[in-house]
mmCIF file of all heavy atoms in Angstrom:
data_model
loop_
_atom_site.group_PDB
_atom_site.id
_atom_site.type_symbol
_atom_site.label_atom_id
_atom_site.label_comp_id
_atom_site.label_asym_id
_atom_site.label_seq_id
_atom_site.Cartn_x
_atom_site.Cartn_y
_atom_site.Cartn_z
ATOM 1 N N PRO A 700 -7.172 10.133 52.732
ATOM 2 C CA PRO A 700 -6.565 8.896 53.251
ATOM 3 C C PRO A 700 -5.310 9.179 54.072
ATOM 4 O O PRO A 700 -4.341 9.746 53.561
ATOM 5 C CB PRO A 700 -6.229 8.109 51.986
ATOM 6 C CG PRO A 700 -7.145 8.642 50.937
ATOM 7 C CD PRO A 700 -7.346 10.091 51.273
ATOM 8 N N PRO A 701 -5.282 8.793 55.344
ATOM 9 C CA PRO A 701 -4.046 8.961 56.135
ATOM 10 C C PRO A 701 -2.871 8.172 55.578
ATOM 11 O O PRO A 701 -1.719 8.487 55.877
ATOM 12 C CB PRO A 701 -4.451 8.445 57.525
ATOM 13 C CG PRO A 701 -5.941 8.564 57.560
ATOM 14 C CD PRO A 701 -6.391 8.279 56.163
ATOM 15 N N ALA A 702 -3.147 7.141 54.765
ATOM 16 C CA ALA A 702 -2.066 6.325 54.211
ATOM 17 C C ALA A 702 -1.110 7.148 53.363
ATOM 18 O O ALA A 702 0.013 6.724 53.091
ATOM 19 C CB ALA A 702 -2.654 5.182 53.379
ATOM 20 N N ARG A 703 -1.537 8.325 52.939
ATOM 21 C CA ARG A 703 -0.636 9.187 52.167
ATOM 22 C C ARG A 703 0.514 9.687 53.026
ATOM 23 O O ARG A 703 1.582 10.026 52.503
ATOM 24 C CB ARG A 703 -1.433 10.364 51.610
ATOM 25 C CG ARG A 703 -0.601 11.343 50.810
ATOM 26 C CD ARG A 703 -1.433 12.428 50.194
ATOM 27 N NE ARG A 703 -0.623 13.398 49.477
ATOM 28 C CZ ARG A 703 -1.092 14.485 48.872
ATOM 29 N NH1 ARG A 703 -2.401 14.728 48.871
ATOM 30 N NH2 ARG A 703 -0.283 15.318 48.257
ATOM 31 N N TYR A 704 0.302 9.733 54.337
ATOM 32 C CA TYR A 704 1.310 10.320 55.222
ATOM 33 C C TYR A 704 1.870 9.319 56.241
ATOM 34 O O TYR A 704 2.946 9.564 56.797
ATOM 35 C CB TYR A 704 0.705 11.499 55.989
ATOM 36 C CG TYR A 704 0.036 12.520 55.098
ATOM 37 C CD1 TYR A 704 -1.350 12.530 54.926
ATOM 38 C CD2 TYR A 704 0.791 13.459 54.401
ATOM 39 C CE1 TYR A 704 -1.962 13.468 54.095
ATOM 40 C CE2 TYR A 704 0.189 14.380 53.566
ATOM 41 C CZ TYR A 704 -1.192 14.380 53.417
ATOM 42 O OH TYR A 704 -1.802 15.298 52.589
ATOM 43 N N PHE A 705 1.159 8.217 56.492
ATOM 44 C CA PHE A 705 1.551 7.310 57.561
ATOM 45 C C PHE A 705 1.608 5.875 57.043
ATOM 46 O O PHE A 705 0.922 5.511 56.089
ATOM 47 C CB PHE A 705 0.578 7.402 58.740
ATOM 48 C CG PHE A 705 0.368 8.805 59.253
ATOM 49 C CD1 PHE A 705 -0.836 9.465 59.038
ATOM 50 C CD2 PHE A 705 1.373 9.475 59.935
ATOM 51 C CE1 PHE A 705 -1.045 10.752 59.497
ATOM 52 C CE2 PHE A 705 1.179 10.763 60.395
ATOM 53 C CZ PHE A 705 -0.026 11.415 60.177
ATOM 54 N N ASP A 706 2.407 5.049 57.736
ATOM 55 C CA ASP A 706 2.600 3.657 57.321
ATOM 56 C C ASP A 706 1.498 2.734 57.829
ATOM 57 O O ASP A 706 1.406 1.584 57.374
ATOM 58 C CB ASP A 706 3.955 3.144 57.820
ATOM 59 C CG ASP A 706 5.115 3.886 57.175
ATOM 60 O OD1 ASP A 706 4.949 4.354 56.031
ATOM 61 O OD2 ASP A 706 6.181 4.004 57.816
ATOM 62 N N ARG A 707 0.700 3.186 58.766
ATOM 63 C CA ARG A 707 -0.376 2.352 59.301
ATOM 64 C C ARG A 707 -1.646 3.185 59.422
ATOM 65 O O ARG A 707 -1.606 4.418 59.348
ATOM 66 C CB ARG A 707 0.017 1.798 60.668
ATOM 67 C CG ARG A 707 0.279 2.873 61.719
ATOM 68 C CD ARG A 707 0.565 2.268 63.081
ATOM 69 N NE ARG A 707 0.861 3.286 64.085
ATOM 70 C CZ ARG A 707 -0.066 3.995 64.740
ATOM 71 N NH1 ARG A 707 -1.369 3.790 64.483
ATOM 72 N NH2 ARG A 707 0.296 4.908 65.632
ATOM 73 N N PRO A 708 -2.794 2.539 59.577
ATOM 74 C CA PRO A 708 -4.050 3.295 59.718
ATOM 75 C C PRO A 708 -4.019 4.206 60.940
ATOM 76 O O PRO A 708 -3.375 3.911 61.955
ATOM 77 C CB PRO A 708 -5.111 2.189 59.865
ATOM 78 C CG PRO A 708 -4.493 0.982 59.257
ATOM 79 C CD PRO A 708 -3.020 1.081 59.531
ATOM 80 N N SER A 709 -4.726 5.315 60.841
ATOM 81 C CA SER A 709 -4.873 6.236 61.970
ATOM 82 C C SER A 709 -6.081 5.812 62.801
ATOM 83 O O SER A 709 -7.151 5.519 62.258
ATOM 84 C CB SER A 709 -5.070 7.667 61.472
ATOM 85 O OG SER A 709 -3.891 8.166 60.897
ATOM 86 N N GLU A 710 -5.879 5.796 64.104
ATOM 87 C CA GLU A 710 -6.964 5.452 65.018
ATOM 88 C C GLU A 710 -7.645 6.746 65.472
ATOM 89 O O GLU A 710 -7.023 7.589 66.118
ATOM 90 C CB GLU A 710 -6.438 4.676 66.219
ATOM 91 C CG GLU A 710 -5.756 3.358 65.860
ATOM 92 C CD GLU A 710 -6.713 2.381 65.194
ATOM 93 O OE1 GLU A 710 -7.909 2.377 65.559
ATOM 94 O OE2 GLU A 710 -6.264 1.640 64.299
ATOM 95 N N LEU A 711 -8.911 6.898 65.123
ATOM 96 C CA LEU A 711 -9.675 8.093 65.455
ATOM 97 C C LEU A 711 -10.711 7.770 66.524
ATOM 98 O O LEU A 711 -11.321 6.690 66.507
ATOM 99 C CB LEU A 711 -10.384 8.639 64.213
ATOM 100 C CG LEU A 711 -9.536 8.892 62.969
ATOM 101 C CD1 LEU A 711 -10.413 9.385 61.830
ATOM 102 C CD2 LEU A 711 -8.448 9.898 63.268
#
Side-chain angles (χ1 to χ4, degrees):
R703 179 176 177 182
Y704 308 99
F705 307 109
D706 295 331
R707 61 176 178 81
S709 290
E710 300 297 326
L711 307 178

